[in-house]
Amino acid sequence: GPTLISKLETADTAPLQSVDGFALPVQLVNRPTPDFRGFNGIVMRAPVMTGDKVRVSPSGATSNVKHIWLAGAELKEAAPGLSVTLELEDEIGISRGDIISAARHPVEASDQFEADIVWMSHQAGYSGRSYSLKLAGQNVTATLTSLKYQVDVNTGQQLASTSVNLNEITRVTLNTQRPICFDDYGTTPQLGAFILIDNQTNETVAAGIIRFALRRATNIHRQQADIDKKARRALSGHTSKVFW
């Protein structure tokens, strides 16, 4: 119920933080004519302005905002909460579920998370089971890798748990079939909250919030390159390595 959802949102969550850079999850690729290609979505985190340098996640492609459209009118700036269409300067591959964000503050992408969920089904959940996860236009198969502990809603005590039942709040680890784009719940709630759906019954079995990615590297983001690994190695004369 609403009380449990409120506890889930507030437990262990810092106050919302301000961010110097917008984010826009793409809900629709708008192409009414061959000469126009826009990306519809709701502006989040901060205003977006014409000329802003952007990065697309998860591809890592970069461009600049060419035009901002709202109901046929062109804007110079769009505030958070507005549903707009962005037109970019470059022709790059973007599809529903991708996130366009300010290049100076791109969103993260990962396939392993620690999260809190509130169970909403009479059918219990167990570690190892897979569900459909939906977050900001993204739909991907997710597995409950482990149930770390149940949270007592009255005392906040952490209790051992082998299953998750109706109205229980549980700290879990999740593994998704492919990396998904997200943001810290304390920064952008819309990019940190998700639902889990039973693939057999289409029942929404849980609502949850991402605490953090288990593969954490917030200062590293994918870069789009025109030269592939094979060509780069041939040009450099040696194989590529990463020193961490």
Side-chain angles (χ1 to χ4, degrees):
T3 302
L4 287 173
I5 296 294
S6 177
K7 287 180 179 290
L8 177 62
E9 290 178 341
T10 56
D12 259 355
T13 303
L16 294 184
Q17 308 166 23
S18 61
V19 179
D20 182 24
F22 81 98
L24 182 139
V26 177
Q27 297 177 354
L28 177 70
V29 179
N30 185 358
R31 195 155 198 171
T33 68
D35 300 326
F36 181 89
R37 189 162 184 255
F39 306 100
N40 297 8
I42 298 174
V43 181
M44 300 177 182
R45 299 197 310 198
V48 56
M49 300 178 64
T50 302
D52 279 354
K53 185 174 180 61
V54 303
R55 182 185 298 275
V56 180
S57 297
S59 71
T62 58
S63 185
N64 295 287
V65 177
K66 183 178 180 181
H67 298 292
I68 304 171
W69 302 97
L70 176 63
E74 185 173 1
L75 306 178
K76 294 297 182 183
E77 178 179 338
L82 285 181
S83 184
V84 300
T85 299
L86 296 187
E87 188 179 357
L88 304 183
E89 292 181 356
D90 303 288
E91 185 80 10
I92 54 180
I94 301 175
S95 58
R96 173 179 166 82
D98 290 352
I99 297 180
I100 303 172
S101 57
R104 63 183 177 274
H105 194 111
V107 299
E108 296 182 62
S110 182
D111 58 1
Q112 294 185 16
F113 306 93
E114 184 160 304
D116 286 340
I117 62 172
V118 56
W119 202 252
M120 303 164 62
S121 172
H122 289 279
Q123 191 75 23
Y126 298 90
S127 61
R129 290 193 176 177
S130 295
Y131 303 92
S132 289
L133 183 149
K134 289 190 175 183
L135 187 158
Q138 302 168 96
N139 191 350
V140 64
T141 298
T143 302
L144 284 176
T145 310
S146 68
L147 308 178
K148 299 191 69 174
Y149 55 81
Q150 178 189 339
V151 180
D152 188 304
V153 296
N154 296 311
T155 66
Q157 184 180 2
Q158 298 177 5
L159 309 173
S161 178
T162 58
S163 65
V164 53
N165 299 286
L166 181 66
N167 292 337
E168 290 181 349
I169 295 176
T170 306
R171 177 68 57 93
V172 302
T173 56
L174 288 167
N175 184 70
T176 55
Q177 193 175 38
R178 58 176 172 79
I180 60 172
C181 303
F182 73 100
D183 200 3
D184 173 64
Y185 183 83
T187 302
T188 317
Q190 302 94 325
L191 299 180
F194 62 89
I195 59 172
L196 296 178
I197 300 172
D198 187 295
N199 293 311
Q200 302 300 319
T201 64
N202 288 325
E203 177 190 10
T204 299
V205 296
I209 57 178
I210 292 175
R211 291 304 183 186
F212 52 80
L214 294 177
R215 295 177 179 174
R216 304 186 74 180
T218 57
N219 62 331
I220 297 176
H221 301 276
R222 182 183 295 274
Q223 307 289 321
Q224 188 177 54
D226 296 326
I227 302 174
D228 61 16
K229 288 182 180 180
K230 185 176 180 180
R232 187 177 296 280
R233 290 170 179 172
L235 289 170
S236 302
H238 57 76
T239 60
S240 55
K241 302 290 182 184
V242 174
F243 295 89
W244 207 276

PDB file of all heavy atoms in Angstrom, residues 5 14 24 28 30 40 45 48 59-60 75 91 93 100 104 109 114 128 137 140-141 156 167 204 209 212-213 228 231:
ATOM      1  N   ILE A   5       5.133   1.874   0.249  1.00  0.00           N
ATOM      2  CA  ILE A   5       5.872   2.554  -0.811  1.00  0.00           C
ATOM      3  C   ILE A   5       6.603   3.754  -0.240  1.00  0.00           C
ATOM      4  O   ILE A   5       7.759   4.023  -0.579  1.00  0.00           O
ATOM      5  CB  ILE A   5       4.918   3.008  -1.941  1.00  0.00           C
ATOM      6  CG1 ILE A   5       4.276   1.789  -2.612  1.00  0.00           C
ATOM      7  CG2 ILE A   5       5.651   3.845  -2.958  1.00  0.00           C
ATOM      8  CD1 ILE A   5       5.251   0.913  -3.355  1.00  0.00           C
ATOM      9  N   ALA A  14      18.974   9.561   0.684  1.00  0.00           N
ATOM     10  CA  ALA A  14      19.330  10.943   0.985  1.00  0.00           C
ATOM     11  C   ALA A  14      18.358  11.885   0.288  1.00  0.00           C
ATOM     12  O   ALA A  14      17.662  11.507  -0.653  1.00  0.00           O
ATOM     13  CB  ALA A  14      20.750  11.213   0.512  1.00  0.00           C
ATOM     14  N   LEU A  24      16.931  13.044 -20.596  1.00  0.00           N
ATOM     15  CA  LEU A  24      15.659  12.840 -21.284  1.00  0.00           C
ATOM     16  C   LEU A  24      15.583  11.402 -21.783  1.00  0.00           C
ATOM     17  O   LEU A  24      16.267  11.047 -22.749  1.00  0.00           O
ATOM     18  CB  LEU A  24      15.510  13.826 -22.452  1.00  0.00           C
ATOM     19  CG  LEU A  24      14.184  13.752 -23.222  1.00  0.00           C
ATOM     20  CD1 LEU A  24      13.669  15.154 -23.576  1.00  0.00           C
ATOM     21  CD2 LEU A  24      14.326  12.942 -24.511  1.00  0.00           C
ATOM     22  N   LEU A  28       9.808   8.055 -27.739  1.00  0.00           N
ATOM     23  CA  LEU A  28       9.386   7.853 -29.127  1.00  0.00           C
ATOM     24  C   LEU A  28      10.362   8.538 -30.060  1.00  0.00           C
ATOM     25  O   LEU A  28      10.798   9.666 -29.794  1.00  0.00           O
ATOM     26  CB  LEU A  28       7.981   8.430 -29.341  1.00  0.00           C
ATOM     27  CG  LEU A  28       7.419   8.373 -30.769  1.00  0.00           C
ATOM     28  CD1 LEU A  28       7.109   6.927 -31.153  1.00  0.00           C
ATOM     29  CD2 LEU A  28       6.156   9.225 -30.888  1.00  0.00           C
ATOM     30  N   ASN A  30      10.529  10.326 -33.398  1.00  0.00           N
ATOM     31  CA  ASN A  30       9.531  11.026 -34.211  1.00  0.00           C
ATOM     32  C   ASN A  30      10.123  11.367 -35.574  1.00  0.00           C
ATOM     33  O   ASN A  30      11.018  12.208 -35.678  1.00  0.00           O
ATOM     34  CB  ASN A  30       9.109  12.295 -33.464  1.00  0.00           C
ATOM     35  CG  ASN A  30       7.989  13.040 -34.162  1.00  0.00           C
ATOM     36  OD1 ASN A  30       7.535  12.640 -35.230  1.00  0.00           O
ATOM     37  ND2 ASN A  30       7.541  14.122 -33.553  1.00  0.00           N
ATOM     38  N   ASN A  40      11.214  12.223 -28.644  1.00  0.00           N
ATOM     39  CA  ASN A  40      10.232  12.691 -27.677  1.00  0.00           C
ATOM     40  C   ASN A  40      10.532  12.135 -26.290  1.00  0.00           C
ATOM     41  O   ASN A  40      10.891  10.965 -26.138  1.00  0.00           O
ATOM     42  CB  ASN A  40       8.825  12.237 -28.083  1.00  0.00           C
ATOM     43  CG  ASN A  40       8.388  12.830 -29.404  1.00  0.00           C
ATOM     44  OD1 ASN A  40       9.159  13.457 -30.104  1.00  0.00           O
ATOM     45  ND2 ASN A  40       7.129  12.608 -29.754  1.00  0.00           N
ATOM     46  N   ARG A  45      15.820  16.401 -14.312  1.00  0.00           N
ATOM     47  CA  ARG A  45      17.004  16.854 -13.566  1.00  0.00           C
ATOM     48  C   ARG A  45      17.277  18.347 -13.676  1.00  0.00           C
ATOM     49  O   ARG A  45      17.473  19.025 -12.669  1.00  0.00           O
ATOM     50  CB  ARG A  45      18.276  16.094 -13.993  1.00  0.00           C
ATOM     51  CG  ARG A  45      18.231  14.619 -13.757  1.00  0.00           C
ATOM     52  CD  ARG A  45      19.596  13.982 -13.788  1.00  0.00           C
ATOM     53  NE  ARG A  45      20.419  14.302 -14.933  1.00  0.00           N
ATOM     54  CZ  ARG A  45      21.464  13.603 -15.308  1.00  0.00           C
ATOM     55  NH1 ARG A  45      21.819  12.528 -14.626  1.00  0.00           N
ATOM     56  NH2 ARG A  45      22.177  13.953 -16.351  1.00  0.00           N
ATOM     57  N   VAL A  48      17.092  21.946 -20.366  1.00  0.00           N
ATOM     58  CA  VAL A  48      17.876  21.691 -21.569  1.00  0.00           C
ATOM     59  C   VAL A  48      17.783  22.926 -22.453  1.00  0.00           C
ATOM     60  O   VAL A  48      16.720  23.545 -22.565  1.00  0.00           O
ATOM     61  CB  VAL A  48      17.375  20.434 -22.314  1.00  0.00           C
ATOM     62  CG1 VAL A  48      15.891  20.527 -22.654  1.00  0.00           C
ATOM     63  CG2 VAL A  48      18.191  20.208 -23.581  1.00  0.00           C
ATOM     64  N   SER A  59      24.968   4.017 -25.901  1.00  0.00           N
ATOM     65  CA  SER A  59      25.900   3.939 -27.032  1.00  0.00           C
ATOM     66  C   SER A  59      27.147   4.787 -26.845  1.00  0.00           C
ATOM     67  O   SER A  59      28.215   4.467 -27.353  1.00  0.00           O
ATOM     68  CB  SER A  59      25.180   4.363 -28.323  1.00  0.00           C
ATOM     69  OG  SER A  59      24.932   5.755 -28.326  1.00  0.00           O
ATOM     70  N   GLY A  60      27.019   5.936 -26.128  1.00  0.00           N
ATOM     71  CA  GLY A  60      28.153   6.838 -25.964  1.00  0.00           C
ATOM     72  C   GLY A  60      28.284   7.864 -27.060  1.00  0.00           C
ATOM     73  O   GLY A  60      29.218   8.683 -27.043  1.00  0.00           O
ATOM     74  N   LEU A  75      11.422  26.187 -28.802  1.00  0.00           N
ATOM     75  CA  LEU A  75      11.870  26.788 -27.555  1.00  0.00           C
ATOM     76  C   LEU A  75      13.389  26.923 -27.552  1.00  0.00           C
ATOM     77  O   LEU A  75      14.093  26.143 -28.185  1.00  0.00           O
ATOM     78  CB  LEU A  75      11.452  25.924 -26.355  1.00  0.00           C
ATOM     79  CG  LEU A  75       9.974  25.558 -26.216  1.00  0.00           C
ATOM     80  CD1 LEU A  75       9.794  24.649 -24.993  1.00  0.00           C
ATOM     81  CD2 LEU A  75       9.118  26.800 -26.089  1.00  0.00           C
ATOM     82  N   GLU A  91      23.190  12.876 -37.236  1.00  0.00           N
ATOM     83  CA  GLU A  91      22.352  11.710 -37.487  1.00  0.00           C
ATOM     84  C   GLU A  91      22.976  10.510 -36.777  1.00  0.00           C
ATOM     85  O   GLU A  91      23.922   9.897 -37.286  1.00  0.00           O
ATOM     86  CB  GLU A  91      22.265  11.444 -38.992  1.00  0.00           C
ATOM     87  CG  GLU A  91      21.316  10.332 -39.382  1.00  0.00           C
ATOM     88  CD  GLU A  91      19.852  10.763 -39.408  1.00  0.00           C
ATOM     89  OE1 GLU A  91      19.587  11.970 -39.311  1.00  0.00           O
ATOM     90  OE2 GLU A  91      18.991   9.880 -39.515  1.00  0.00           O
ATOM     91  N   GLY A  93      22.313   6.883 -34.196  1.00  0.00           N
ATOM     92  CA  GLY A  93      21.326   5.857 -33.878  1.00  0.00           C
ATOM     93  C   GLY A  93      20.804   5.989 -32.456  1.00  0.00           C
ATOM     94  O   GLY A  93      21.554   5.824 -31.499  1.00  0.00           O
ATOM     95  N   ILE A 100      19.089  10.529 -23.528  1.00  0.00           N
ATOM     96  CA  ILE A 100      19.888  11.677 -23.961  1.00  0.00           C
ATOM     97  C   ILE A 100      20.130  12.543 -22.735  1.00  0.00           C
ATOM     98  O   ILE A 100      19.177  12.927 -22.053  1.00  0.00           O
ATOM     99  CB  ILE A 100      19.158  12.480 -25.050  1.00  0.00           C
ATOM    100  CG1 ILE A 100      18.806  11.586 -26.249  1.00  0.00           C
ATOM    101  CG2 ILE A 100      20.009  13.659 -25.509  1.00  0.00           C
ATOM    102  CD1 ILE A 100      17.911  12.266 -27.275  1.00  0.00           C
ATOM    103  N   ARG A 104      28.180  16.662 -19.815  1.00  0.00           N
ATOM    104  CA  ARG A 104      28.959  16.871 -18.582  1.00  0.00           C
ATOM    105  C   ARG A 104      28.430  16.049 -17.418  1.00  0.00           C
ATOM    106  O   ARG A 104      29.100  15.923 -16.392  1.00  0.00           O
ATOM    107  CB  ARG A 104      28.960  18.358 -18.201  1.00  0.00           C
ATOM    108  CG  ARG A 104      27.587  18.931 -17.882  1.00  0.00           C
ATOM    109  CD  ARG A 104      27.659  20.415 -17.578  1.00  0.00           C
ATOM    110  NE  ARG A 104      26.355  21.004 -17.339  1.00  0.00           N
ATOM    111  CZ  ARG A 104      25.553  21.470 -18.279  1.00  0.00           C
ATOM    112  NH1 ARG A 104      25.940  21.407 -19.555  1.00  0.00           N
ATOM    113  NH2 ARG A 104      24.381  22.006 -17.980  1.00  0.00           N
ATOM    114  N   ALA A 109      25.267   3.187 -16.932  1.00  0.00           N
ATOM    115  CA  ALA A 109      24.687   1.966 -17.490  1.00  0.00           C
ATOM    116  C   ALA A 109      25.349   0.779 -16.813  1.00  0.00           C
ATOM    117  O   ALA A 109      26.571   0.749 -16.650  1.00  0.00           O
ATOM    118  CB  ALA A 109      24.887   1.902 -19.000  1.00  0.00           C
ATOM    119  N   GLU A 114      22.257  -3.337  -6.704  1.00  0.00           N
ATOM    120  CA  GLU A 114      21.679  -3.588  -5.388  1.00  0.00           C
ATOM    121  C   GLU A 114      20.463  -2.686  -5.290  1.00  0.00           C
ATOM    122  O   GLU A 114      20.539  -1.497  -5.606  1.00  0.00           O
ATOM    123  CB  GLU A 114      22.681  -3.298  -4.273  1.00  0.00           C
ATOM    124  CG  GLU A 114      22.133  -3.645  -2.899  1.00  0.00           C
ATOM    125  CD  GLU A 114      23.228  -3.830  -1.858  1.00  0.00           C
ATOM    126  OE1 GLU A 114      24.116  -4.664  -2.077  1.00  0.00           O
ATOM    127  OE2 GLU A 114      23.168  -3.119  -0.828  1.00  0.00           O
ATOM    128  N   GLY A 128      17.000 -16.411  -7.808  1.00  0.00           N
ATOM    129  CA  GLY A 128      17.162 -17.242  -8.998  1.00  0.00           C
ATOM    130  C   GLY A 128      16.028 -17.110  -9.991  1.00  0.00           C
ATOM    131  O   GLY A 128      16.165 -17.541 -11.141  1.00  0.00           O
ATOM    132  N   GLY A 137      11.106   3.453 -19.870  1.00  0.00           N
ATOM    133  CA  GLY A 137      11.013   3.059 -21.272  1.00  0.00           C
ATOM    134  C   GLY A 137      11.853   1.854 -21.641  1.00  0.00           C
ATOM    135  O   GLY A 137      11.793   1.386 -22.779  1.00  0.00           O
ATOM    136  N   VAL A 140      13.623  -5.189 -19.873  1.00  0.00           N
ATOM    137  CA  VAL A 140      14.685  -6.177 -19.960  1.00  0.00           C
ATOM    138  C   VAL A 140      14.418  -7.280 -18.951  1.00  0.00           C
ATOM    139  O   VAL A 140      13.775  -7.062 -17.914  1.00  0.00           O
ATOM    140  CB  VAL A 140      16.056  -5.513 -19.687  1.00  0.00           C
ATOM    141  CG1 VAL A 140      16.136  -4.971 -18.275  1.00  0.00           C
ATOM    142  CG2 VAL A 140      17.207  -6.460 -19.972  1.00  0.00           C
ATOM    143  N   THR A 141      14.889  -8.487 -19.246  1.00  0.00           N
ATOM    144  CA  THR A 141      14.766  -9.594 -18.303  1.00  0.00           C
ATOM    145  C   THR A 141      15.757  -9.406 -17.153  1.00  0.00           C
ATOM    146  O   THR A 141      16.932  -9.114 -17.375  1.00  0.00           O
ATOM    147  CB  THR A 141      15.041 -10.936 -18.998  1.00  0.00           C
ATOM    148  OG1 THR A 141      14.067 -11.141 -20.025  1.00  0.00           O
ATOM    149  CG2 THR A 141      14.967 -12.092 -18.011  1.00  0.00           C
ATOM    150  N   GLY A 156      12.899  -1.114  11.321  1.00  0.00           N
ATOM    151  CA  GLY A 156      14.046  -0.948  10.446  1.00  0.00           C
ATOM    152  C   GLY A 156      15.078  -2.046  10.600  1.00  0.00           C
ATOM    153  O   GLY A 156      16.137  -2.019   9.959  1.00  0.00           O
ATOM    154  N   ASN A 167       3.813  -7.505   0.666  1.00  0.00           N
ATOM    155  CA  ASN A 167       4.029  -6.316   1.505  1.00  0.00           C
ATOM    156  C   ASN A 167       5.380  -6.277   2.215  1.00  0.00           C
ATOM    157  O   ASN A 167       5.619  -5.383   3.022  1.00  0.00           O
ATOM    158  CB  ASN A 167       2.907  -6.146   2.543  1.00  0.00           C
ATOM    159  CG  ASN A 167       1.573  -5.789   1.904  1.00  0.00           C
ATOM    160  OD1 ASN A 167       1.541  -5.264   0.792  1.00  0.00           O
ATOM    161  ND2 ASN A 167       0.490  -6.086   2.588  1.00  0.00           N
ATOM    162  N   THR A 204       2.218  -7.373 -12.058  1.00  0.00           N
ATOM    163  CA  THR A 204       3.279  -6.570 -11.463  1.00  0.00           C
ATOM    164  C   THR A 204       3.525  -7.089 -10.053  1.00  0.00           C
ATOM    165  O   THR A 204       2.681  -6.928  -9.173  1.00  0.00           O
ATOM    166  CB  THR A 204       2.890  -5.081 -11.421  1.00  0.00           C
ATOM    167  OG1 THR A 204       2.669  -4.610 -12.760  1.00  0.00           O
ATOM    168  CG2 THR A 204       4.004  -4.251 -10.792  1.00  0.00           C
ATOM    169  N   ILE A 209      13.545   0.426  -6.030  1.00  0.00           N
ATOM    170  CA  ILE A 209      14.438   1.544  -6.333  1.00  0.00           C
ATOM    171  C   ILE A 209      15.875   1.037  -6.311  1.00  0.00           C
ATOM    172  O   ILE A 209      16.257   0.223  -5.468  1.00  0.00           O
ATOM    173  CB  ILE A 209      14.267   2.713  -5.340  1.00  0.00           C
ATOM    174  CG1 ILE A 209      14.504   2.266  -3.889  1.00  0.00           C
ATOM    175  CG2 ILE A 209      12.900   3.352  -5.477  1.00  0.00           C
ATOM    176  CD1 ILE A 209      14.397   3.407  -2.898  1.00  0.00           C
ATOM    177  N   PHE A 212      22.451   1.297  -5.966  1.00  0.00           N
ATOM    178  CA  PHE A 212      23.690   1.555  -6.709  1.00  0.00           C
ATOM    179  C   PHE A 212      23.986   0.359  -7.602  1.00  0.00           C
ATOM    180  O   PHE A 212      23.444  -0.732  -7.412  1.00  0.00           O
ATOM    181  CB  PHE A 212      24.867   1.835  -5.767  1.00  0.00           C
ATOM    182  CG  PHE A 212      25.076   0.807  -4.700  1.00  0.00           C
ATOM    183  CD1 PHE A 212      25.731  -0.392  -4.962  1.00  0.00           C
ATOM    184  CD2 PHE A 212      24.622   1.033  -3.403  1.00  0.00           C
ATOM    185  CE1 PHE A 212      25.921  -1.347  -3.972  1.00  0.00           C
ATOM    186  CE2 PHE A 212      24.816   0.084  -2.401  1.00  0.00           C
ATOM    187  CZ  PHE A 212      25.461  -1.105  -2.693  1.00  0.00           C
ATOM    188  N   ALA A 213      24.857   0.581  -8.594  1.00  0.00           N
ATOM    189  CA  ALA A 213      25.313  -0.501  -9.453  1.00  0.00           C
ATOM    190  C   ALA A 213      26.436  -1.251  -8.751  1.00  0.00           C
ATOM    191  O   ALA A 213      27.266  -0.649  -8.066  1.00  0.00           O
ATOM    192  CB  ALA A 213      25.799   0.053 -10.795  1.00  0.00           C
ATOM    193  N   ASP A 228      37.365   0.387 -35.232  1.00  0.00           N
ATOM    194  CA  ASP A 228      37.127  -0.751 -34.349  1.00  0.00           C
ATOM    195  C   ASP A 228      38.436  -1.250 -33.736  1.00  0.00           C
ATOM    196  O   ASP A 228      39.527  -0.765 -34.032  1.00  0.00           O
ATOM    197  CB  ASP A 228      36.402  -1.878 -35.090  1.00  0.00           C
ATOM    198  CG  ASP A 228      37.207  -2.426 -36.274  1.00  0.00           C
ATOM    199  OD1 ASP A 228      38.426  -2.170 -36.346  1.00  0.00           O
ATOM    200  OD2 ASP A 228      36.598  -3.112 -37.120  1.00  0.00           O
ATOM    201  N   ALA A 231      41.224  -2.572 -36.258  1.00  0.00           N
ATOM    202  CA  ALA A 231      41.926  -1.519 -36.996  1.00  0.00           C
ATOM    203  C   ALA A 231      42.838  -0.713 -36.072  1.00  0.00           C
ATOM    204  O   ALA A 231      43.964  -0.351 -36.453  1.00  0.00           O
ATOM    205  CB  ALA A 231      40.909  -0.595 -37.674  1.00  0.00           C
TER     206      ALA A 231
END
